[in-house]
Amino acid sequence: MMEENSRERLDTDNEAGGEDALVGNVNKLMITPPGYTGPPKKGHVIFDACFESGNLGRVDYISEFEFDLFIRPDTCNPRFRVWFNFTVENVRETQRVIFNIVNFSKTKSLYRDGMSPVVKSTSRPKWQRLPAKNVYYYRCPDHRRNYVMSFAFCFDREDDVYQFAYCYPYTYSRLQHYLASLERRNLDYLQREQLGLSVQQRRLDLLTITNPAHLNQEREKRVVFLTARVHPGESPASFICQGFIDFLVSQHPTAQVLRDHVIFKIVPMLNPDGVYLGNYRCSLMGFDLNRHWQDPSPWAHPTLHAVKQLIVQMSQDPKVSLEFYIDVHAHSTMMNGFMYGNVFEEEDRVQRQAVFPRLLCQNAPDFSLSSTTFNRDLVKAGTGRRFLGGLLDDTSYCYTLEVSFYSYLTAGTTSPVPYTEDGYMKLGRNVARTFVDYYKLNNLTDESKHTGHINSTSDGTSTSHQGNTTGNGKVKGDRKPHGVRDY
């Protein structure tokens, strides 16, 4: 009867999963059986999401072993409910539970393909994925046939605090500590500056990585611009960005050559408020910033406004050649890394735009050329890739770099390889390495020319061997390149 009453109460909620009740995150919420009036006991689990990047809006007791969990929607925007990140404590040793996350806003999900949430605990602080066999994704009749993700878990240490999340979190504070550690190294080829502030007065950081001689105002400048985390729940983008930065500031001979020939401008976190608040898609005020590039407001979208101003200013400087803009994202339904590019009428420009993804495919075994697509969907008109593709001249290339929240397949295999934090960073390092191939700088490094992907380690060392092409090696889109032009 108690279980029926709990389910019945949910049926009265609206279709979004009772979001009217989700005004904030749960705060040290102890769940006891209905009607229980005695003292708290071990096993009366305590849920908490009142911490940076936390998200859990409500918990319903279903039985001693089962709990319904509700994602808190993005602030000021109830449409987006995907990211979750919460802790559980006051558990009983060997206590077994089933957690049902019942109000996802998306129906299509990598949970159907074997993805699982990540978990860590105080005694085991390294994030790991739950076993896929313990995770179920299905239409649930108790929740108006909405999709539910259920996972079973057994707590094994009473004194541990357990943390569960949609994917490996990468918080605003983690970024600030990382950037501060870079600054302390006093590298003459790294500059950190505050480009602006968010609505809640968090830093919008800009890194410039290059040989300082390039910053001479009289010199012509070749610029590569990279941004990440415009969508705050897409935490893999931050690991890619950190891998990209780590390689460029390393003493690796390839990194030194790149710094001698290119100016790298990096905005690691375009939406710091959304990241801090535990949103999935939106800013504090409920805006999807990646739909507002055409006319960002200095008060509603200050971080986007500041980055756009800088890029427009650079595009108008005759001594600056802004050759690449890459916006890094994570994808909730596809495998591997891949890119979105723009559609052009000129066949020559179409083919030139295909060069970088082809080279990246040779360097990164997890990058899929067959999933790389060139499009001009109207719904994407306000994105950085589409807007800047129209603003910049025909020597500039604008891409969205996507990576799976879950895994990648390599050529000739059928078993997906789940991404780890370092796996995402490795993709970032390989993106950086690809500019050596693009600019044909291999003969300037101390390494022999490589013909395959690079297994870079976290300190920038690497080994080269034959790369793999994922899929059929073609680039999908409105126009298909017929080859790569040597230019």
Side-chain angles (χ1 to χ4, degrees):
M1 177 66 72
M2 181 165 54
E3 183 171 340
E4 286 179 9
N5 288 342
S6 297
R7 295 288 189 198
E8 204 170 82
R9 188 168 79 253
L10 291 180
D11 286 343
T12 64
D13 289 324
N14 62 31
E15 188 177 355
E19 67 208 18
D20 290 345
L22 306 186
V23 293
N25 287 326
V26 298
N27 183 6
K28 298 291 185 184
L29 175 67
M30 178 179 286
I31 304 296
T32 56
Y36 180 83
T37 56
K41 295 180 181 177
K42 277 285 184 185
H44 291 170
V45 291
I46 296 173
F47 291 87
D48 186 44
C50 277
F51 53 84
E52 187 175 356
S53 294
N55 187 311
L56 183 64
R58 180 173 129 198
V59 181
D60 283 358
Y61 178 101
I62 302 305
S63 74
E64 182 184 354
F65 309 103
E66 187 175 5
F67 304 84
D68 281 355
L69 311 183
F70 292 76
I71 297 168
R72 171 188 54 76
D74 282 9
T75 53
C76 303
N77 194 326
R79 287 179 53 207
F80 298 106
R81 303 177 307 280
V82 175
W83 174 261
F84 58 86
N85 182 14
F86 61 90
T87 62
V88 178
E89 58 188 297
N90 197 43
V91 302
R92 191 175 64 250
E93 191 172 335
T94 73
Q95 182 176 3
R96 296 174 184 272
V97 295
I98 296 174
F99 291 149
N100 308 310
I101 298 187
V102 301
N103 68 331
F104 282 110
S105 56
K106 284 189 166 188
T107 56
K108 196 176 178 186
S109 171
L110 284 164
Y111 288 124
R112 299 189 301 191
D113 302 309
M115 187 171 92
S116 58
V118 295
V119 62
K120 69 174 184 176
S121 70
T122 42
S123 66
R124 286 151 295 187
K126 184 176 175 60
W127 287 104
Q128 53 188 300
R129 292 188 186 272
L130 292 171
K133 62 184 174 60
N134 294 350
V135 181
Y136 310 88
Y137 188 72
Y138 57 98
R139 280 191 183 275
C140 182
D142 293 323
H143 294 282
R144 301 191 177 189
R145 292 190 54 76
N146 288 335
Y147 277 89
V148 169
M149 188 271 288
S150 297
F151 61 94
F153 192 80
C154 181
F155 298 106
D156 58 351
R157 298 184 185 178
E158 290 196 352
D159 295 330
D160 268 16
V161 177
Y162 294 78
Q163 186 172 350
F164 301 90
Y166 180 77
C167 193
Y168 313 108
Y170 193 113
T171 64
Y172 170 78
S173 292
R174 176 171 177 168
L175 174 68
Q176 293 305 307
H177 286 128
Y178 170 65
L179 297 182
S181 72
L182 288 179
E183 274 193 304
R184 286 194 293 272
R185 292 165 64 181
N186 293 318
L187 304 171
D188 66 348
Y189 48 79
L190 169 72
Q191 285 187 4
R192 177 191 182 190
E193 56 191 294
Q194 182 177 297
L195 189 57
L197 292 170
S198 68
V199 172
Q200 289 189 314
Q201 302 300 293
R202 294 188 179 91
R203 287 180 61 103
L204 175 68
D205 281 290
L206 171 69
L207 297 184
T208 302
I209 301 172
T210 193
N211 184 323
H214 283 160
L215 302 179
N216 183 324
Q217 289 189 346
E218 300 306 312
R219 290 187 60 158
E220 293 194 2
K221 301 171 178 63
R222 171 190 284 166
V223 176
V224 170
F225 206 113
L226 183 138
T227 58
R229 293 302 282 282
V230 68
H231 290 152
E234 296 174 7
S235 56
S238 283
F239 293 102
I240 290 174
C241 190
Q242 181 171 327
F244 187 80
I245 295 166
D246 280 343
F247 184 80
L248 290 176
V249 300
S250 74
Q251 293 305 307
H252 193 285
T254 300
Q256 293 175 355
V257 168
L258 283 171
R259 294 194 298 266
D260 285 343
H261 289 81
V262 184
I263 299 173
F264 292 92
K265 297 275 188 182
I266 303 159
V267 176
M269 195 168 280
L270 254 174
N271 189 350
D273 290 347
V275 172
Y276 186 90
L277 294 165
N279 286 354
Y280 175 66
R281 186 92 174 179
C282 296
S283 65
L284 163 74
M285 298 171 69
F287 295 109
D288 179 347
L289 296 181
N290 206 33
R291 297 296 182 270
H292 289 274
W293 275 89
Q294 288 161 317
D295 190 24
S297 158
W299 65 271
H301 325 113
T303 57
L304 192 62
H305 184 266
V307 172
K308 179 184 173 181
Q309 268 196 322
L310 175 62
I311 292 176
V312 169
Q313 175 187 329
M314 292 168 64
S315 73
Q316 295 170 346
D317 186 336
K319 290 192 178 298
V320 173
S321 175
L322 179 51
E323 300 193 354
F324 283 88
Y325 171 75
I326 300 176
D327 189 25
V328 189
H329 289 254
H331 207 283
S332 64
T333 64
M334 293 183 68
M335 303 282 203
N336 292 74
F338 58 95
M339 281 180 148
Y340 292 127
N342 293 317
V343 171
F344 305 109
E345 298 304 323
E346 309 86 3
E347 182 67 22
D348 179 66
R349 193 175 182 189
V350 170
Q351 294 193 25
R352 283 186 283 123
Q353 185 186 218
V355 172
F356 189 84
R358 286 181 183 278
L359 293 172
L360 179 55
C361 185
Q362 293 171 10
N363 287 339
D366 55 324
F367 185 82
S368 171
L369 200 60
S370 60
S371 295
T372 292
T373 307
F374 301 142
N375 64 57
R376 51 173 152 212
D377 299 345
L378 285 176
V379 71
K380 301 291 181 72
T383 65
R385 166 180 64 87
R386 285 288 306 280
F387 172 77
L388 295 174
L391 172 77
L392 303 175
D393 65 29
D394 63 3
T395 63
S396 303
Y397 303 102
C398 301
Y399 304 95
T400 301
L401 172 62
E402 296 273 4
V403 68
S404 175
F405 272 111
Y406 171 38
S407 68
Y408 61 92
L409 291 165
T410 54
T413 65
T414 56
S415 298
V417 180
Y419 274 109
T420 61
E421 294 177 48
D422 191 61
Y424 289 127
M425 290 192 193
K426 185 179 291 185
L427 178 56
R429 295 193 287 271
N430 283 331
V431 170
R433 289 293 298 259
T434 300
F435 285 104
V436 169
D437 298 328
Y438 182 85
Y439 289 118
K440 300 184 176 177
L441 302 172
N442 287 294
N443 59 331
L444 300 180
T445 71
D446 294 340
E447 300 177 293
S448 60
K449 279 190 178 182
H450 61 268
T451 57
H453 66 262
I454 298 98
N455 275 340
S456 303
T457 59
S458 57
D459 63 357
T461 60
S462 68
T463 59
S464 301
H465 52 94
Q466 189 61 40
N468 295 319
T469 303
T470 303
N472 58 18
K474 295 179 182 177
V475 182
K476 296 189 296 188
D478 299 50
R479 305 280 298 278
K480 292 185 175 64
H482 304 295
V484 178
R485 200 176 76 124
D486 192 19
Y487 69 102

